[in-house]
């Protein structure tokens, strides 16, 4: 049994109330560990430690802070295999994916922000005869970082690294569904000698531990990634206290295939965009719109590609898709396949749970599922499913596809396939989303602004945007 501890004031400690939550392994459906069910008193201890550590941490030179973050990055790299195994076990994702994407990205997040602060410049506004202004960017104090289960260590560190780099102290909570690599990160912080209280990781349920972080009066900024409803709840608590908020929320992303695209490339990338990480990436393209003249050709090629996506135990090298993250989530995704059929959709591929032999017979496996024949404004095409389910819809004109693509409450990401340069840029400009890929998907440059429009969020992460979020700008005006 793997028993997780909180990381508070530099030490691994049990929750004060002594309560734990079961941790399930999605591949087998079995309990394999215990997670602290922390309460407001644990959060208060973490905030106290962060407040005590803040004066010394924020006073370090940027070179010294950079060095600490680089040490964490190097330690993640040294343990890449072990961390990938742990992530795969906790989340159900193929181990190959954790090795190739999740853990390298966690390593890179620390290295990126460790070096970004060495290159940051502050603004200077010259008023000529009257003098000048300069901008001081100062750390906020204690900040909270709350992350979801789909890319556990990847998204956790994407928040923690810029928060620490800009001189804040952090109280952080990973998802209670996938807490294990955050626990391993706390061990790494102890190993590399990160000063006590600079980072505190408190485990527990969202409505208890997470909410106690959001409510705590000393927590001055909250960086949150998760569902839109949770984001609204957090905003309703934080806004009246005038806390800074960065909210990265849900998506229902369109993938637009024009007739003049490179069809083979569009098919291959669309299959990845639909089913990578079992379709549990906020950026997954779950609504595929195909220009009518190539609809049948695309469909044929796409279904062939999907047929080659083997669902299997995450530890096996030939599994292209692993288990969904939890039983509840599997049931939720499965219920949308039933809803799609009630709404008149035809299942072209998949649609069933997968029964693997023991010891995986209780695991949460679902076939990659492709559905056609649905109206663009039905629930299946409007609500976030966050699983391996995509819909195919034909379109006749650019205006029509823009209308359908922009019709949801979300605005996170969009993918466009066309060889026509003008059309690509024209459509990118008209799409209501924070991120647009042309002829590709999930290519990430950590310097670029990352975030959503509409109900997909408020604020941007990435590059200097994140460093700006985690600092207060102070203008100093000087008269000659
Ligand atoms: P969730 O909202 O249920 O939980 C996210 C985190 O918030 C968890 O750590 C949870 O414990 C915590 N939480 C829950 N209630 C809380 C409360 N009242 N106060 C404070 N914290 C609380 O989301 P999830 O199911 O873990 O993740 C899936 C969602 O995340 C999807 O909607 C997906 O689109 C979204 N997501 C968005 C992005 C992005 O960058 N925009 C990235 C990944 C995932």
């Amino acid at each position: 049994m793997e028993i997780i501890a909180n990381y508070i004031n530099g030490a691994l400690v049990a929750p004060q109330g002594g309560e734990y939550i079961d941790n399930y392994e999605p591949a087998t459906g079995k309990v394999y560990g215990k997670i602290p069910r922390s309460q407001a008193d644990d959060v208060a201890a973490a905030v106290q430690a962060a407040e005590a550590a803040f004066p010394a941490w924020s006073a370090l030179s940027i070179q010294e802070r950079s060095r600490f973050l680089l040490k964490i990055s190097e330690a993640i790299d040294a343990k890449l295999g072990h961390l990938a195994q742990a992530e795969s076990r906790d989340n159900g994702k193929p181990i190959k994916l954790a090795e190739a994407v999740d853990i390298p990205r966690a390593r890179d997040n620390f290295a990126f922000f460790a070096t970004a602060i060495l290159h940051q410049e502050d603004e200077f506004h010259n008023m000529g005869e009257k003098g000048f202004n300069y901008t001081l960017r100062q750390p906020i104090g204690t900040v909270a970082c709350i992350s979801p289960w789909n890319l556990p260590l990847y998204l956790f560190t994407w928040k923690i690294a810029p928060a620490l780099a800009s001189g804040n102290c952090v109280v952080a909570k990973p998802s209670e569904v996938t807490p294990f690599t955050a626990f391993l990160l706390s061990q790494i912080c102890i190993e590399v000698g990160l000063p006590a209280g600079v980072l505190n990781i408190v485990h527990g349920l969202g409505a208890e531990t997470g909410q106690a972080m959001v409510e705590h009066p000393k927590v001055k900024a909250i960086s949150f990634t998760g569902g839109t409803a949770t984001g609204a709840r957090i905003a309703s608590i934080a806004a009246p206290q005038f806390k800074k908020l960065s909210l990265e929320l849900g998506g229902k992303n369109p993938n637009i295939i024009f007739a003049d695209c490179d069809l083979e490339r569009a098919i291959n990338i669309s299959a990845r965009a639909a089913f990578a990480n079992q379709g549990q990436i906020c950026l997954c393209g779950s609504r595929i719109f195909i220009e009518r003249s190539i609809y049948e050709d695309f469909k044929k090629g796409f279904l062939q590609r999907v047929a080659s996506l083997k669902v299997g135990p995450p530890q096996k090298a030939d599994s292209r898709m692993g288990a969904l993250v939890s039983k509840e989530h599997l049931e939720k995704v499965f219920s949308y396949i039933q809803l799609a059929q009630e709404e008149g959709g035809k299942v072209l591929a998949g649609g069933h749970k997968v029964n693997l032999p023991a010891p995986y017979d209780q695991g949460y496996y679902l076939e990659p599922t492709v559905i056609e024949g649905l109206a663009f404004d039905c629930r299946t095409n409007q609500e976030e499913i966050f699983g391996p389910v995509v819909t195919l819809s034909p379109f006749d004109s650019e205006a029509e596809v823009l209308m359908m693509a922009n019709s949801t409450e979300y605005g996170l990401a969009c993918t466009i396939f066309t060889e026509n340069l003008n059309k690509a840029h024209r459509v990118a400009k008209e799409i209501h989303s924070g991120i647009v890929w042309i002829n590709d998907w999930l290519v990430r440059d950590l310097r670029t602004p990352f975030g959503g429009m509409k109900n997909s969020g408020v604020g941007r992460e990435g590059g200097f945007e994140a460093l700006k979020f985690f600092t207060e700008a102070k203008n100093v005006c000087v008269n000659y």
Side-chain angles (χ1 to χ4, degrees):
M1 195 58 62
E2 302 274 9
I3 308 214
I4 288 176
N6 287 331
Y7 171 52
I8 298 177
N9 204 19
L12 296 176
V13 293
Q16 294 181 35
E19 279 194 69
Y20 287 84
I21 314 160
D22 286 335
N23 194 9
Y24 288 84
E25 180 178 359
T28 59
K30 303 226 163 64
V31 173
Y32 83 102
K34 298 269 174 216
I35 312 158
R37 184 172 174 175
S38 309
Q39 302 294 333
D41 48 1
D42 301 297
V43 171
V47 174
Q48 201 181 358
E51 290 281 301
F54 179 68
W57 179 250
S58 56
L60 286 184
S61 69
I62 51 172
Q63 287 78 8
E64 285 170 310
R65 277 208 300 274
S66 172
R67 190 65 211 131
F68 273 116
L69 298 197
L70 285 174
K71 277 195 213 164
I72 297 175
S73 172
E74 285 154 14
I76 292 175
D77 197 43
K79 295 175 198 293
L80 200 147
H82 177 54
L83 285 162
Q85 234 173 0
E87 198 72 293
S88 166
R89 184 175 194 192
D90 213 24
N91 172 280
K93 69 179 69 209
I95 193 161
K96 286 198 138 184
L97 188 68
E99 274 168 2
V101 177
D102 293 74
I103 308 305
R105 176 58 190 275
R107 170 198 68 203
D108 294 349
N109 287 340
F110 276 104
F112 178 83
F113 286 107
T115 50
I117 50 172
L118 303 177
H119 302 274
Q120 199 176 10
E121 290 176 352
D122 293 319
E123 294 106 89
F124 168 89
H125 297 91
N126 195 345
M127 297 189 295
E129 290 300 300
K130 284 191 187 154
F132 61 90
N133 301 273
Y134 62 91
T135 311
L136 279 181
R137 290 200 178 273
Q138 294 173 311
I140 298 168
T142 300
V143 301
C145 298
I146 302 176
S147 60
W149 49 256
N150 65 323
L151 302 166
L153 194 63
Y154 173 135
L155 289 175
F156 197 54
T157 53
W158 180 233
K159 298 177 177 306
I160 290 172
L164 294 178
S166 35
N168 301 284
C169 291
V170 175
V171 290
K173 193 191 93 61
S175 169
E176 62 274 28
V177 185
T178 54
F180 203 77
T181 48
F183 172 57
L184 296 178
L185 177 67
S186 50
Q187 294 177 337
I188 286 175
C189 292
I190 293 171
E191 249 173 65
V192 306
L194 187 71
V198 167
L199 171 63
N200 304 274
I201 301 175
V202 190
H203 296 269
L205 300 173
E208 297 175 356
T209 321
Q211 192 148 326
M213 286 178 179
V214 174
E215 285 171 349
H216 199 293
K218 291 249 160 67
V219 171
K220 297 294 183 208
I222 299 148
S223 175
F224 169 80
T225 299
T228 294
T230 315
R233 169 122 195 87
I234 288 175
S236 75
I237 298 165
Q241 296 186 51
F242 308 110
K243 299 183 179 201
K244 275 186 108 174
L245 267 182
S246 169
L247 302 174
E248 302 294 338
L249 310 176
K252 184 74 177 174
N253 309 306
N255 176 358
I256 303 174
I257 320 282
F258 285 103
D260 58 11
C261 70
D262 173 339
L263 187 60
E264 198 183 327
R265 182 176 176 84
I267 287 169
N268 286 335
I269 295 177
S270 298
R272 202 160 56 81
F275 300 117
N277 207 37
Q278 296 71 246
Q280 303 166 133
I281 301 180
C282 55
L283 305 165
C284 276
S286 56
R287 295 180 294 149
I288 309 183
F289 297 105
I290 306 130
E291 197 160 359
R292 197 177 299 275
S293 61
I294 60 157
Y295 185 83
E296 291 303 326
D297 288 344
F298 178 90
K299 180 167 116 183
K300 189 165 160 233
F302 188 70
L303 291 174
Q304 268 170 8
R305 187 80 190 76
V306 172
S308 73
L309 295 175
K310 187 165 176 207
V311 178
Q315 296 82 357
K316 290 224 166 131
D318 65 342
S319 298
R320 288 290 160 270
M321 290 173 59
L324 270 67
V325 78
S326 68
K327 182 148 182 55
E328 296 73 48
H329 192 59
L330 171 69
E331 295 306 335
K332 180 195 141 182
V333 175
F334 189 64
S335 77
Y336 271 100
I337 299 173
Q338 290 162 322
L339 173 72
Q341 287 164 294
E342 286 162 24
E343 290 184 317
K346 180 175 168 204
V347 175
L348 299 173
H352 307 103
K353 295 178 190 170
V354 180
N355 289 318
L356 296 179
Y360 306 106
D361 49 333
Q362 300 299 313
Y364 318 133
Y365 301 94
L366 186 64
E367 291 174 342
T369 299
V370 184
I371 301 169
E372 73 170 356
L374 287 166
F376 75 93
D377 56 355
C378 69
R379 282 185 55 205
T380 309
N381 268 330
Q382 293 287 315
E383 297 175 12
E384 186 183 45
I385 300 174
F386 213 54
V389 179
V390 281
T391 63
L392 306 185
S393 309
F395 68 88
D396 292 301
S397 70
E398 210 175 293
E400 186 197 14
V401 77
L402 273 168
M403 181 278 292
M404 295 195 290
N406 285 336
S407 68
T408 74
E409 68 179 65
Y410 298 107
L412 189 54
C414 172
T415 306
I416 301 166
F417 290 93
T418 175
E419 296 291 295
N420 180 322
L421 193 63
N422 290 336
K423 193 194 291 175
H425 294 300
R426 195 165 60 229
V427 174
K429 184 167 158 288
E430 296 304 323
I431 277 289
H432 303 162
S433 70
I435 302 150
V436 179
W437 279 287
I438 296 170
N439 296 327
D440 218 328
W441 178 72
L442 206 64
V443 180
R444 292 281 295 115
D445 177 329
L446 303 191
R447 295 169 301 177
T448 60
F450 179 93
M453 295 180 179
K454 303 197 278 185
N455 292 3
S456 289
V458 179
R460 293 291 179 272
E461 297 186 325
F464 294 126
E465 299 274 344
L467 297 177
K468 281 186 179 166
F469 173 74
F470 284 116
T471 49
E472 287 279 17
K474 182 188 287 175
N475 186 65
V476 181
C477 181
V478 182
N479 190 324
Y480 285 120

